[in-house]
Structures are given as C-alpha cells and as structure tokens.
Amino acid sequence: LGRMKPVIVVHGGAGRIFKEREEGCRAGVVRAALRGYALLKQGGSAVDAVEEAVRSMEDDPHFNAGCGSVLNEKGEVEMDAIIMDGKNLDSGAVSAVKCIANPIKLARLVMEKTKHMLLTDHGAHLFAQAMGIPEIPGEKLITERSRERWKKNLEPDSNPEEFQKDLGTVGAVAIDSEGNVACATSTGGLSNKMIGRVGDTACIGSGGYADNHSGATSTTGHGESIMKVVLARLILYHMEQGMSPEVAADTALDYMKTRVGGLGGVIVVNKAGEWAARFSTKQMSWATVKDDNVHYGIYSGEKHIKSVDEALASEREGF
C-alpha cells in the first residue's frame, strides 16, 4: 500500500462574516489547519488531526464553538460536538454540554471510552467529571460579543433569524498517511435557541460523516435544514456514485436549498485525497493544507495560497 499524502481541510462556519472579523477568521482557520497538518506530517492519525484542529478553533473567540459560543434564550452556552473515525465508523458526540472548554475532547472520549455514541447534557457532564475534564465557569466561555448579540435578540422588534446568518460552527476533515479519514465538528448552536435545542452538529450523518471507503465531510449552516437532508451522508453518497468532492458538495448543497430552503457550507476530502470547500451562504472561512501548501479563503471564488513555512512564519509575527 503506497503512503498517502496527508491532507487536512477546516472550516470556521458558513454565514455572514463581518468585515472587522475577517482577518481573525482567516488567521484562525489557517492556524487550525497548520496544527492538524503538523500532526499528520509526523505520521499522526486523521482522528488526532481533526480533533486538534477543532480544539484550536474552540479556543479562538472568533468562532461559535467553545469560547465564543452564542447564547441560548436563557443567556447560557450549550454546545454540541462530534468526531468520527472512517476506519471502523466509530463515532462519539456530545450535545447541550455546558461549562467545559473543549467539547470535541469530550466527544473523542465518548467514542473511545464508552460503548455509546452520543451523550447529552447532564449525562455528558457526569461523564466529563469521571474522565477528569476540568469544569470551568460558564461565564468563561461567554464573550462580550455573544452577550451583546443575545441582548439584541431579546428586544421585542428583533429578528434572531437575521443574526443566525452569522453561524460559526467549526469543523475539520483529514486523510492521514495510512489512508484513514476522519471528521470533527463543534458548535455553540443558534443564537437565542430554546434551552435543550440540539442541531445537526451532534447528529451522525448530518454534522459530519467519515468512511474510508469514500471520504469524510463536516458541515455548517442552518442545522434544522442540514438534518432534514442528512447533508454529510448525502455528500458521501454522491461521491460513492462517482462524483468529485466539489461536484458532490455543490449537488448536495443545491438540493438542500431547493428542497428545504436551507443554506450552508461543507468541507470534503475523498479517499484519494482530493478536497473541496463549498458553500451556498455569502461566506465561509476555510483552509486546507496539502503538499505543504496552505489554501484559504472566505468569499466565494477567493483562494490564497502560501507555503506552510511562509504561513508558519507569518503566524509567528501575528498573521
């Protein structure tokens, strides 16, 4: 078996990215992709790489995941996350979790330390305690921006739907040198959502899916729409029918738009290491590392390319 060239693709959420946040979003996805790629280059697994990339974005307040998550109707952070290993279709997910910094870490532990695939709310909390995951005060995850937005959405004449165009779910897909694929997705969900609302992110086949036989994908966008069409699995189905990652992604996004009026974005890698980052929203921050080159963008048709060394150097100087 020939060694695969490792590839990682990450997204920082599809939707509307405000001008003053663009640079931070670009820098954040590039940093995440570089971190995941560094592991892959050392012979690390696709699962390790996607977890590391997502953890990096959970820690970055520019994104709606981990620190920086949006608030539910009661003004609290409730987060969802999933991880999946394409080798054996093992997956772990958590939903509506509070007071932990990195839900993706907990999802990975669900996958590896339990016989289950999805733990929610209180049960996920007990499991986190049992695993020695430090609890942090909920306020620690709340940024000034999230609180402002929550308040705005509470005003009687507000339209939370307007704000929900600015969705910052984060995700990653990768293929490692053994040819194994994996995906990971993490989110704070929808702004001012009902308590206990769980979107597509924690749902296998919707928020993400990975199968060595075809590839891996992670999604972002309007969760309820994504769930209706089981978007991640739909894309892999199209690739199984022979479509390229790009055509499969566009076909599935187009179906979601025409069938249920939903917008979103996806990142994809197939078993041959071909990748795509596609979206039907105005914007989606994304980055890829392949062949020691970093590709990244936010707008449709935008694609910058830097060498890994160049990107690492500019990261040290503060992008």
Side-chain angles (χ1 to χ4, degrees):
L1 209 104
R3 303 280 281 174
M4 277 297 300
K5 272 186 181 156
V7 182
I8 187 162
V9 195
V10 306
H11 70 73
R16 182 182 54 184
I17 298 162
F18 295 99
K19 268 276 181 269
E20 74 275 8
R21 301 177 66 77
E22 277 183 16
E23 276 320 294
C25 286
R26 277 197 191 93
V29 287
V30 168
R31 183 182 309 120
L34 288 169
R35 285 191 180 166
Y37 190 68
L39 290 181
L40 293 171
K41 281 293 274 191
Q42 297 156 17
S45 71
V47 172
D48 284 342
V50 294
E51 181 189 5
E52 176 58 28
V54 165
R55 196 190 56 75
S56 167
M57 291 183 284
E58 285 177 340
D59 292 343
D60 185 332
H62 280 92
F63 304 108
N64 172 15
C67 177
S69 288
V70 298
L71 312 187
N72 67 13
E73 58 183 0
K74 218 173 103 187
E76 297 175 335
V77 166
E78 288 188 315
M79 301 165 290
D80 307 329
I82 193 168
I83 193 164
M84 185 167 184
D85 184 343
K87 190 167 35 197
N88 47 17
L89 306 187
D90 274 351
S91 177
V94 292
S95 68
V97 296
K98 301 183 186 81
C99 304
I100 61 167
N102 298 110
I104 199 65
K105 276 189 168 161
L106 191 56
R108 172 93 187 249
L109 288 167
V110 171
M111 173 168 84
E112 292 184 344
K113 306 283 184 205
T114 77
K115 292 192 173 77
H116 305 310
M117 282 167 76
L118 172 59
L119 291 181
T120 193
D121 196 357
H122 183 60
H125 174 74
L126 294 175
F127 177 63
Q129 280 180 329
M131 290 288 119
I133 289 192
E135 200 176 317
I136 59 167
E139 293 76 68
K140 272 264 197 322
L141 298 169
I142 298 178
T143 59
E144 196 40 51
R145 180 169 179 266
S146 296
R147 195 178 292 287
E148 283 303 300
R149 210 156 117 198
W150 172 70
K151 281 207 197 101
K152 261 211 185 82
N153 287 345
L154 289 178
E155 291 166 10
D157 59 347
S158 86
N159 176 12
E161 296 297 313
E162 221 356 78
F163 282 92
Q164 279 154 18
K165 296 197 172 88
D166 176 23
L167 302 160
T169 304
V170 305
V173 295
I175 187 165
D176 61 30
S177 53
E178 311 275 295
N180 294 312
V181 299
C183 70
T185 313
S186 179
T187 191
L190 286 181
S191 194
N192 297 64
K193 62 189 178 180
M194 286 175 68
I195 292 164
R197 178 265 188 188
V198 176
D200 65 295
T201 300
C203 301
I204 190 171
S206 292
Y209 202 82
D211 182 351
N212 282 6
H213 294 166
S214 44
T217 181
S218 167
T219 67
T220 166
H222 184 243
E224 282 72 12
S225 298
I226 290 170
M227 291 158 95
K228 287 174 185 177
V229 302
V230 197
L231 186 63
R233 191 66 192 81
L234 182 60
I235 292 165
L236 291 191
Y237 165 78
H238 286 318
M239 294 202 305
E240 287 157 4
Q241 305 301 304
M243 287 185 193
S244 70
E246 190 159 306
V247 175
D250 286 347
T251 304
L253 284 167
D254 194 48
Y255 175 71
M256 182 166 84
K257 192 173 172 178
T258 53
R259 187 70 180 86
V260 297
L263 301 180
V266 299
I267 50 173
V268 192
V269 65
N270 70 8
K271 62 181 182 185
E274 300 166 323
W275 62 275
R278 309 293 293 169
F279 46 100
S280 52
T281 50
K282 277 211 169 66
Q283 291 149 293
M284 179 179 81
S285 53
W286 63 272
T288 306
V289 191
K290 181 177 183 175
D291 293 332
D292 290 319
N293 279 317
V294 187
H295 307 247
Y296 61 98
I298 285 186
Y299 291 94
S300 187
E302 174 194 359
K303 189 175 185 180
H304 306 281
I305 303 182
K306 282 182 182 181
S307 73
V308 164
D309 294 340
E310 210 182 324
L312 285 168
S314 64
E315 176 161 306
R316 278 191 292 272
E317 291 150 22
F319 215 75

